[in-house]
Amino acid sequence: MRKIVLAAAAAFILTAPAFAAEEVKPMEREWHFNGMLGKFDKQQLQRGFQVYKEVCASCHSLNYISFRNLEDIGYSEDQVKVIAAEYQVTDGPDENGDMFQRPARPSDHIPHPFANDQLARASNGGALPPDLSLMTKAREDGPNYVYSLMLGYKEAPNGFELNPGMSYNAFFPGHQIAMPQQITDDRVTYADGTKASAEQIATDVVAFLHWTAEPKLEVRHATGVRVLLFAFLFTVLAYLYKRRLWARLGKH
Amino acid sequence: MSTEKSRLMKAWEWHEQRLPIGSFLDHSLGSKYPAPKNLNYWWNFGSLALFMLVTMIITGVFLAMNYTAHVTLAFNSVERIMRDVNNGWLIRYMHSNGASFFFIVVYIHIFRGLYYGSYKPPREVLWWMGVVIYLLMMATAFMGYVLPWGQMSFWGATVITNLFSAIPGVGDAIVTLLWGGFSVDNPTLNRFFALHYLLPFVIVGVVFIHIWALHVPGSNNPLGIDAAPADKIPFFPYYVAKDVFGLGVFLMVYFAVVFWAPNMMGDPLNYVPANPMVTPPHIVPEWYYLPFYAILRAIPDKLLGVVAMFGSILILFVLPWLDRHPVRSASFRPIFRIFFWIFLANGLMLGWCGAQLAEGLPLILSRIGTFWYFFHFIVLLPLLSWIETPKPLPASISQPVLSPAE
Ligand code: HEM
């Protein structure tokens, strides 16, 4: 094991990887949550959650999200209870020492779609669908990248060798991805009646995933404005005081 | 009321006679510490570095209250800090970006010293203590970066600790000791956490010595000549006020990043949990190590690369004897000044190279840059000490330059 790690590390230092895939710039989009005062659009996050639930959840986990967190995106306590109760989770042991199934409660984490990574791989042609909670922070230019990835499925160009079970994606490094195309027009029917074009669905699910990655974004922006305002006033006062003080010294 | 006050004063004096803490502070950073009156804003960065050190320790202690140093829990505990701990996101972003800003401040502080010749007599020991602080900071930040146990944490730790295996004879033993086993694993994480907690306090100790050594000769100044007592002003209130203003400006920049671009200086891959089975295609250290990483990779031999990398920092210890030119400030050394800027540009170029794959143009540039780095110290500076004619120096800080005609 040590030899292998040593060799790998040495190889990286000395030769450095020659196999880094060529980079494709993702499509740029305007996001609600960007900018000084950027906020999440709660209606959009709820649509995004619907997309996650109906499309992505069969393969991808959302490890860092509990049902109770959904109150942050505008669901009431009771609505969260109802959403949670649609899922079964394993609990126990009971007084007889047996594990048992029960409906999920708001304090439970969103259950993992697969019992373990091996099963997840076995169900996905050997590839592991990664956890999505931090996805928009775990890739360069994350929100734009995931958005582009979702819409980047195309016919493989002539001469491109696609392995069996793989799809061609313009934005995935190396272009071969084990995840089949997920988002097409009307893939979901939105509860709020929004027209479900592929772009709309991709936008909504990315906004939702950015919330799962950075749930404190809104208070961060709001706190930032106050802190910066304070720092600015502090600086102005400090400057005026310094100038008055130094004026005593004459030239300096 | 007035008797009340004098009683308080009496208590204070009683205490001062037994432990003169007030007088100590007054002599260290107060009205009894005279500083040259002509210090410019580049002299603000020492107090800013101290501010960042304190900020790192305070935020670090609060992080440590919620952090778990175990390979199965570390990543999750950091996410818990980000999501469920009150203001945890703020503390963590202040700490992770604080490390970057600490380095920005210290780099400016170091280059200030290089430009104005602050390493020259009688400040050699002061300069040494600075280099020791810098080395300790590098070690501290390296181990801190391992703690969240993301992909870059793990692979960065693997690559960097492996460097020690290049040392002939004892290399492998050192690496095993660092790892606490035969690969980067739980024992590594545990000892790195213990050391990451310890080293900042060692830095505090060295900072004390650094400031002590500063107080013997006092501050250098932009003219680089010795300041006469008449050209000095008390540190308090003048420089305290100036430093507080500088702090305000600095805080605006620091907070802008903490609140609006907290992940700008981090690698996205560190939001992927560490996985020993998946090697990232491109392992890059944090930006503040990049010039040295470029030097390491510029040299095809592993041992020599490691020697060059450590040598590039250790050479700073002997800088006072490489540059023996009697004039301190670059303002009066036109040739040195040009090479100072070339040296800075070269360092930035090396930093850029460190972030690229070591092949093609970046590799060639990092070889040229490495050569120039050592050439500057070993050949240029001694040579300039011999041959460079300085511009005429002013007789004192308040007197204009004596022109030769007079
Ligand atoms: C010289 C001062 C220090 C420097 C330069 C420094 C640097 C760092 C860095 C670069 C990280 C990784 C941040 C990230 O990417 O998440 C980190 C994490 C951490 N540091 Fe420090 N640190 C310092 C002082 C301290 C102190 C004094 C403590 C504790 C008493 C501390 C506790 C921690 C903990 C618990 C973490 C892991 C949590 C996290 O990753 O956010 N640090 N440090």
Side-chain angles (χ1 to χ4, degrees):
Chain A
M1 178 62 193
R2 187 182 177 201
K3 280 265 145 62
I4 301 172
V5 175
L6 269 171
F12 271 102
I13 300 164
L14 299 178
T15 60
F19 41 84
E22 112 243 29
E23 275 171 40
V24 189
K25 275 233 160 282
M27 298 185 266
E28 297 280 330
R29 250 198 136 281
E30 289 286 317
W31 300 101
H32 256 279
F33 47 75
N34 281 346
M36 277 289 269
L37 291 166
K39 280 184 170 56
F40 290 119
D41 168 353
K42 293 200 168 134
Q43 204 57 41
Q44 176 170 55
L45 296 192
Q46 295 192 5
R47 289 196 300 272
F49 173 59
Q50 189 189 342
V51 178
Y52 168 75
K53 200 166 78 160
E54 292 176 16
V55 186
C56 324
S58 57
C59 297
H60 291 283
S61 56
L62 217 47
N63 283 339
Y64 295 105
I65 302 298
S66 310
F67 290 105
R68 68 181 164 84
N69 296 134
L70 293 173
E71 282 180 40
D72 289 359
I73 66 171
Y75 291 108
S76 69
E77 217 178 312
D78 289 331
Q79 282 172 312
V80 167
K81 280 188 189 145
V82 174
I83 294 169
E86 291 169 23
Y87 293 77
Q88 291 287 313
V89 295
T90 309
D91 200 350
D94 62 15
E95 58 270 31
N96 300 320
D98 297 322
M99 303 302 278
F100 59 91
Q101 294 285 111
R102 63 161 172 80
R105 291 192 283 256
S107 57
D108 286 314
H109 279 251
I110 294 185
H112 209 286
F114 299 103
N116 50 55
D117 284 359
Q118 284 74 5
L119 185 58
R121 280 184 195 279
S123 321
N124 283 285
L128 183 68
D131 184 76
L132 291 184
S133 334
L134 284 164
M135 188 51 78
T136 61
K137 289 204 286 187
R139 296 289 181 276
E140 205 62 64
D141 197 8
N144 284 325
Y145 168 74
V146 177
Y147 174 80
S148 307
L149 183 80
M150 294 286 86
L151 300 175
Y153 288 87
K154 292 201 173 67
E155 280 296 321
N158 273 342
F160 189 91
E161 277 212 41
L162 208 53
N163 295 328
M166 304 292 270
S167 308
Y168 183 86
N169 188 303
F171 296 96
F172 190 67
H175 303 307
Q176 301 225 26
I177 186 163
M179 167 169 68
Q181 177 163 17
Q182 297 300 322
I183 294 185
T184 49
D185 288 341
D186 298 317
R187 177 70 177 73
V188 293
T189 309
Y190 278 131
D192 68 0
T194 304
K195 196 174 157 345
S197 65
E199 286 81 7
Q200 182 71 45
I201 299 176
T203 312
D204 293 347
V205 79
V206 168
F208 172 71
L209 291 178
H210 200 56
W211 169 75
T212 65
E214 196 62 23
K216 297 291 191 268
L217 175 138
E218 288 187 0
V219 345
R220 172 154 62 75
H221 288 172
T223 316
V225 170
R226 278 184 286 144
V227 169
L228 221 63
L229 220 59
F230 175 81
F232 179 73
L233 286 178
F234 174 88
T235 310
V236 170
L237 289 179
Y239 176 70
L240 294 175
Y241 176 67
K242 185 250 161 194
R243 211 175 54 169
R244 233 186 59 180
L245 190 67
W246 280 67
R248 280 198 220 155
L249 288 173
K251 271 209 300 182
H252 273 280
Chain B
M1 182 66 213
S2 70
T3 52
E4 189 80 359
K5 209 171 178 184
S6 69
R7 226 179 264 161
L8 216 73
M9 277 309 289
K10 269 193 192 135
W12 173 246
E13 276 158 20
W14 180 90
H15 194 268
E16 276 292 290
Q17 277 155 13
R18 282 148 186 85
L19 183 72
I21 187 162
S23 136
F24 172 74
L25 284 176
D26 202 31
H27 279 92
S28 309
L29 298 164
S31 59
K32 300 275 164 29
Y33 174 52
K37 65 178 184 183
N38 62 333
L39 301 185
N40 59 28
Y41 277 102
W42 298 115
W43 262 263
N44 277 51
F45 288 84
S47 69
L48 289 179
L50 189 59
F51 173 83
M52 277 323 295
L53 178 60
V54 174
T55 305
M56 292 309 282
I57 289 179
I58 294 174
T59 53
V61 168
F62 279 98
L63 284 174
M65 291 175 192
N66 295 287
Y67 171 80
T68 311
H70 188 279
V71 290
T72 57
L73 298 168
F75 191 91
N76 287 355
S77 72
V78 173
E79 273 312 309
R80 220 189 119 262
I81 291 171
M82 294 296 288
R83 290 157 195 274
D84 295 333
V85 172
N86 287 337
N87 292 312
W89 58 271
L90 177 57
I91 309 256
R92 198 242 171 169
Y93 278 155
M94 279 180 70
H95 196 78
S96 58
N97 288 290
S100 282
F101 276 91
F102 196 5
F103 274 96
I104 293 173
V105 165
V106 164
Y107 275 126
I108 296 177
H109 189 63
I110 293 174
F111 274 92
R112 186 279 318 259
L114 291 174
Y115 187 88
Y116 293 111
S118 301
Y119 48 85
K120 292 188 183 185
R123 297 187 180 79
E124 299 94 320
V125 176
L126 169 60
W127 176 255
W128 282 346
M129 291 307 116
V131 181
V132 171
I133 293 170
Y134 177 47
L135 282 169
L136 287 170
M137 276 176 67
M138 301 248 250
T140 307
F142 166 64
M143 288 189 267
Y145 193 61
V146 176
L147 301 186
W149 208 243
Q151 271 291 66
M152 275 301 156
S153 299
F154 179 87
W155 289 99
T158 302
V159 169
I160 301 301
T161 48
N162 255 306
L163 296 178
F164 291 91
S165 72
I167 302 168
V170 291
D172 282 346
I174 292 178
V175 176
T176 309
L177 194 71
L178 283 173
W179 285 347
F182 298 105
S183 64
V184 173
D185 207 334
N186 200 49
T188 327
L189 181 58
N190 274 303
R191 59 194 58 200
F192 278 23
F193 182 45
L195 292 173
H196 184 70
Y197 209 134
L198 170 69
L199 286 186
F201 296 93
V202 178
I203 296 180
V204 170
V206 185
V207 166
F208 260 95
I209 306 177
H210 189 69
I211 295 178
W212 183 12
L214 168 69
H215 281 63
V216 178
S219 293
N220 186 23
N221 66 78
L223 296 176
I225 57 176
D226 293 336
D231 290 327
K232 290 189 176 182
I233 52 177
F235 192 83
F236 178 87
Y238 296 105
Y239 283 109
V240 172
K242 192 172 176 183
D243 281 349
V244 167
F245 164 57
L247 176 66
V249 175
F250 170 78
L251 284 181
M252 287 199 282
V253 183
Y254 173 40
F255 282 138
V257 172
V258 165
F259 288 106
W260 285 282
N263 295 302
M264 179 176 72
M265 291 185 273
D267 195 298
L269 271 190
N270 232 26
Y271 281 109
V272 179
N275 184 347
M277 310 313 271
V278 179
T279 316
H282 188 186
I283 300 174
V284 238
E286 292 282 90
W287 68 265
Y288 32 83
Y289 302 115
L290 289 174
F292 307 102
Y293 195 54
I295 291 177
L296 170 76
R297 296 186 306 173
I299 295 177
D301 180 81
K302 188 175 170 189
L303 177 59
L304 287 180
V306 173
V307 169
M309 185 181 75
F310 284 110
S312 63
I313 299 168
L314 296 180
I315 201 168
L316 292 173
F317 279 112
V318 293
L319 175 59
W321 294 271
L322 294 170
D323 175 8
R324 309 190 62 149
H325 198 282
V327 171
R328 295 195 193 100
S329 172
S331 308
F332 300 101
R333 296 184 59 189
I335 310 180
F336 171 82
R337 188 165 61 199
I338 293 169
F339 285 115
F340 168 87
W341 291 111
I342 295 178
F343 180 76
L344 177 60
N346 185 56
L348 294 174
M349 182 190 78
L350 279 172
W352 176 80
C353 291
Q356 314 302 314
L357 298 174
E359 60 189 23
L361 183 67
L363 183 59
I364 296 169
L365 287 180
S366 51
R367 289 191 172 144
I368 297 173
T370 302
F371 168 78
W372 188 265
Y373 186 97
F374 287 102
F375 181 76
H376 178 89
F377 282 118
I378 297 173
V379 179
L380 268 177
L381 291 184
L383 192 70
L384 289 184
S385 318
W386 270 79
I387 62 165
E388 184 174 10
T389 320
K391 292 203 258 180
L393 293 176
S396 79
I397 289 177
S398 24
Q399 253 147 51
V401 178
L402 304 168
S403 72
E406 276 176 284

